[in-house]
Amino acid sequence: MSERPDQPPITSPRSERVKKVAALTGRSARRRQERFRVEGPLAVHSLLEHRPELAREVFLTERAASDHPELAQLACAAGTPVRRVDEQILRAMLRDQSTGAESTSADGASVTPQGAVAVAALPAEDPARATEAVRALPTSGPLTVLVLHEVRDPGNVGTLIRTADASGADLVLLTRTCADPYSPKAVRAAVGSLFHLPVIAGAEIEDLLAELSTAGIAAAATSGYAAEELFTAELPDRLAWILGNEARGLDEKTLAAAPLAVRIPLAGRAESLNVHTAATVCLFETLRRRRASA
Amino acid sequence: MSERPDQPPITSPRSERVKKVAALTGRSARRRQERFRVEGPLAVHSLLEHRPELAREVFLTERAASDHPELAQLACAAGTPVRRVDEQILRAMLRDQSTGAESTSADGASVTPQGAVAVAALPAEDPARATEAVRALPTSGPLTVLVLHEVRDPGNVGTLIRTADASGADLVLLTRTCADPYSPKAVRAAVGSLFHLPVIAGAEIEDLLAELSTAGIAAAATSGYAAEELFTAELPDRLAWILGNEARGLDEKTLAAAPLAVRIPLAGRAESLNVHTAATVCLFETLRRRRASA
């Protein structure tokens, strides 16, 4: 473990360093510092194991360091400094600076970082990165991409990344108008999956559709009005599922531009599915078919 | 529309009647008043259309009454009194009385009832109701039941009810240790589905398993350690999916007692699925097979 001797231990929850980590709750501070915050042993583990080049600093309580010895080992291998801090310091690193309130999860419960917080380098917001990511995919063979367009809730964005990962998706692309996948709420909801597969934000939907088409990846939208039903539709081997806004779904223009549209069958009286449920059904049906044909 | 002439119009957000509706945010007040609150035109519509016998009172703003004329018609047909109220009164009906804060949704955004709130009769909390509900199911032919055991987050409970409805489930059973499906957060997340199919809370898991077995309904648990994979497992026609706690999943005893256990295939690096994602995959795979064999 590398303890930088030039840095004094953090003893006050009001120290400048603690405040800088706490400030990462806000998007403008993330951009200014070019950093984002990762909370909890599972997510910190995923960062250090799968994206060590992004890790900048790891903060562990005595207890977390002893419960999760692999974190310090991974950090050491990555050349990332690890600091011991008190539980009180770690909690202050998560405190919302505008309100002084502690972070809360989707259900309003107080969030605890369970003894582990990391600070990581924020990937550059450059629309060209989405293009590069699509071009970096294998040029033949089956693959699955998830495209999120105007998904505004950070918890949804994080959960969608986690589900994309679980279903074996190769890439997640977010358009410019989505919630930031590097906000603490999104990072928490993704439970490490943010580091398991490429997740690229900031693209324009028109550019994405053009790039996917060039790469021979069929963009598929879900729509309650589509003629074809998901379970009986032919699904191309190279497929990008496009999911839209929580309240409005996909806009007309994007729907019209997607070469494929399918309807998820609804058997009861529910009028619609939420965006995460719809994505889950599509992604796991894709996985099921891939396994069946393998 | 029936306006009771004996009741004066509600003009103050601090009136006793407004406070009584606002108090329904709390479980003890729901039990004391034997009422729960339904918010938003969609959910109020579902209540009045599918469970009119539960509706006790509907509050509409001028605007909601004009945007959704069917609400007053349905209320009239159900014999439920409708009252016009100002937006300000309606918002006060949703205010948390302990903190004075307005209701917030899962992502922390302020919730607006979009001009419509209803008060409904709270179904009795009697463990015998779950037994009756299972016995009331058709004694032959395919059917799907969703059992939630120790699911603690009200938003999850509501979303699970919505997804069960969308997948054509016949019944949702919640054990005593689940979040209350009649809490405002759960009712909001269910978006009307609470009134589309029978939803029964308060049972003990052991009693449920015994009752399901007697009814010839196979209880199926999901487990990361199960030998059989969901997509290739044989699924009985009469099936009850049992989903467990958000953090811990199902306890060992319940897992052992369920006659069927399947593993949801995970293709990426995600270690697990959240409870709602797991339920979605199981319920829609059941729907897919039912459609394929129909």
Side-chain angles (χ1 to χ4, degrees):
Chain A
M1 194 173 3
S2 54
E3 284 271 2
R4 282 197 208 145
D6 53 330
Q7 298 228 19
I10 306 175
T11 51
S12 162
R14 282 176 300 279
S15 79
E16 277 312 307
R17 296 185 61 216
V18 171
K19 283 184 185 169
K20 274 186 85 170
V21 180
L24 296 175
T25 302
R27 188 160 195 169
S28 59
R30 290 197 294 278
R31 286 175 170 165
R32 205 167 44 240
Q33 295 186 35
E34 297 181 341
R35 295 285 183 273
F36 69 103
R37 192 171 70 215
V38 181
E39 303 164 15
L42 263 176
V44 170
H45 185 129
S46 284
L47 167 72
L48 292 170
E49 182 173 355
H50 300 292
R51 300 298 301 277
E53 76 282 8
L54 296 181
R56 289 293 175 271
E57 197 159 18
V58 174
F59 302 95
L60 297 177
T61 59
E62 204 61 57
R63 168 139 188 210
S66 119
D67 285 354
H68 305 279
E70 76 284 2
L71 293 180
Q73 290 156 14
L74 285 165
C76 180
T80 309
V82 177
R83 319 219 163 271
R84 285 281 180 289
V85 287
D86 286 349
E87 184 66 34
Q88 182 205 13
I89 301 280
L90 216 60
R91 282 181 167 271
M93 286 182 171
L94 267 59
R95 202 159 287 149
D96 187 320
Q97 300 200 298
S98 53
T99 66
E102 303 212 336
S103 292
T104 55
S105 69
D107 61 345
S110 186
V111 165
T112 66
Q114 298 171 274
V117 164
V119 170
L122 186 73
E125 278 181 69
D126 176 357
R129 290 186 60 233
T131 307
E132 287 163 21
V134 174
R135 292 185 187 171
L137 291 169
T139 53
S140 67
L143 54 82
T144 309
V145 177
L146 177 65
V147 176
L148 304 182
H149 182 41
E150 302 187 336
V151 176
R152 308 277 191 190
D153 175 58
N156 276 341
V157 163
T159 311
L160 284 157
I161 292 169
R162 181 180 178 193
T163 301
D165 177 21
S167 74
D170 300 276
L171 173 64
V172 177
L173 299 169
L174 297 92
T175 59
R176 193 177 43 78
T177 48
C178 284
D180 184 359
Y182 301 102
S183 74
K185 275 192 182 175
V187 177
R188 277 197 294 274
V191 201
S193 289
L194 186 57
F195 312 116
H196 296 169
L197 76 171
V199 176
I200 315 281
E204 301 292 341
I205 187 73
E206 297 81 7
D207 300 345
L208 278 188
L209 288 171
E211 201 59 49
L212 290 166
S213 169
T214 305
I217 301 167
T222 65
S223 158
Y225 302 102
E228 287 225 74
E229 219 177 70
L230 171 67
F231 294 144
T232 47
E234 235 183 279
L235 297 180
D237 255 6
R238 296 166 66 81
L239 191 60
W241 287 108
I242 313 198
L243 275 294
N245 177 265
E246 285 90 344
R248 298 181 311 274
L250 282 178
D251 57 292
E252 286 299 325
K253 206 178 144 200
T254 305
L255 255 178
L260 196 67
V262 300
R263 184 164 39 85
I264 299 175
L266 297 180
R269 286 169 175 154
E271 285 183 31
S272 61
L273 299 172
N274 75 30
V275 59
H276 177 250
T277 311
T280 302
V281 176
C282 293
L283 288 167
F284 275 85
E285 172 65 5
T286 311
L287 175 63
R288 185 189 69 79
R289 298 221 198 162
R290 201 142 292 165
R291 299 225 158 177
S293 68
Chain B
M1 195 174 1
S2 53
E3 283 273 2
R4 281 198 209 145
D6 54 330
Q7 297 228 18
I10 306 175
T11 52
S12 162
R14 282 177 300 280
S15 78
E16 276 312 307
R17 296 185 60 215
V18 170
K19 283 185 185 166
K20 274 186 84 168
V21 180
L24 297 173
T25 301
R27 189 161 195 168
S28 59
R30 290 197 294 279
R31 285 175 171 166
R32 204 166 46 238
Q33 295 186 35
E34 298 181 341
R35 295 284 183 274
F36 69 103
R37 192 171 69 214
V38 181
E39 302 164 16
L42 264 175
V44 171
H45 185 128
S46 284
L47 168 71
L48 292 170
E49 184 174 353
H50 300 292
R51 299 298 301 275
E53 77 281 8
L54 296 181
R56 289 293 175 270
E57 197 160 19
V58 175
F59 301 95
L60 297 177
T61 59
E62 204 62 57
R63 171 140 185 208
S66 120
D67 286 355
H68 305 279
E70 76 283 2
L71 294 180
Q73 291 157 13
L74 285 165
C76 181
T80 309
V82 177
R83 320 218 162 270
R84 286 281 180 289
V85 288
D86 286 349
E87 183 67 35
Q88 182 206 9
I89 301 281
L90 217 60
R91 283 181 167 274
M93 286 181 171
L94 267 60
R95 202 159 288 149
D96 188 320
Q97 300 200 299
S98 54
T99 66
E102 302 211 338
S103 292
T104 54
S105 69
D107 61 345
S110 186
V111 165
T112 66
Q114 297 173 275
V117 164
V119 170
L122 187 73
E125 277 182 71
D126 176 358
R129 289 186 61 234
T131 307
E132 287 162 24
V134 173
R135 292 184 187 173
L137 290 169
T139 52
S140 67
L143 54 81
T144 309
V145 176
L146 177 65
V147 176
L148 304 182
H149 182 41
E150 301 188 337
V151 176
R152 308 275 192 192
D153 175 58
N156 275 341
V157 163
T159 310
L160 284 158
I161 292 169
R162 181 180 177 192
T163 300
D165 177 20
S167 74
D170 299 276
L171 172 65
V172 177
L173 299 169
L174 296 93
T175 59
R176 196 176 42 78
T177 47
C178 284
D180 183 1
Y182 300 102
S183 74
K185 275 192 182 174
V187 177
R188 277 197 295 275
V191 201
S193 289
L194 187 57
F195 312 115
H196 295 170
L197 76 170
V199 175
I200 315 282
E204 301 292 340
I205 188 71
E206 297 81 7
D207 300 344
L208 278 189
L209 289 172
E211 201 59 50
L212 290 166
S213 168
T214 305
I217 301 168
T222 65
S223 159
Y225 302 101
E228 287 225 75
E229 219 177 69
L230 170 67
F231 294 144
T232 48
E234 233 183 282
L235 298 180
D237 257 4
R238 296 166 67 81
L239 191 60
W241 287 109
I242 313 197
L243 275 294
N245 179 265
E246 286 90 344
R248 301 182 309 275
L250 282 178
D251 57 293
E252 286 300 326
K253 205 178 143 201
T254 305
L255 255 178
L260 196 68
V262 300
R263 184 164 40 84
I264 299 174
L266 296 181
R269 287 169 174 155
E271 283 183 33
S272 62
L273 298 172
N274 74 29
V275 60
H276 177 250
T277 310
T280 301
V281 175
C282 293
L283 288 167
F284 275 85
E285 173 64 4
T286 311
L287 174 63
R288 186 191 70 77
R289 299 223 197 160
R290 200 141 294 166
R291 299 224 158 181
S293 69

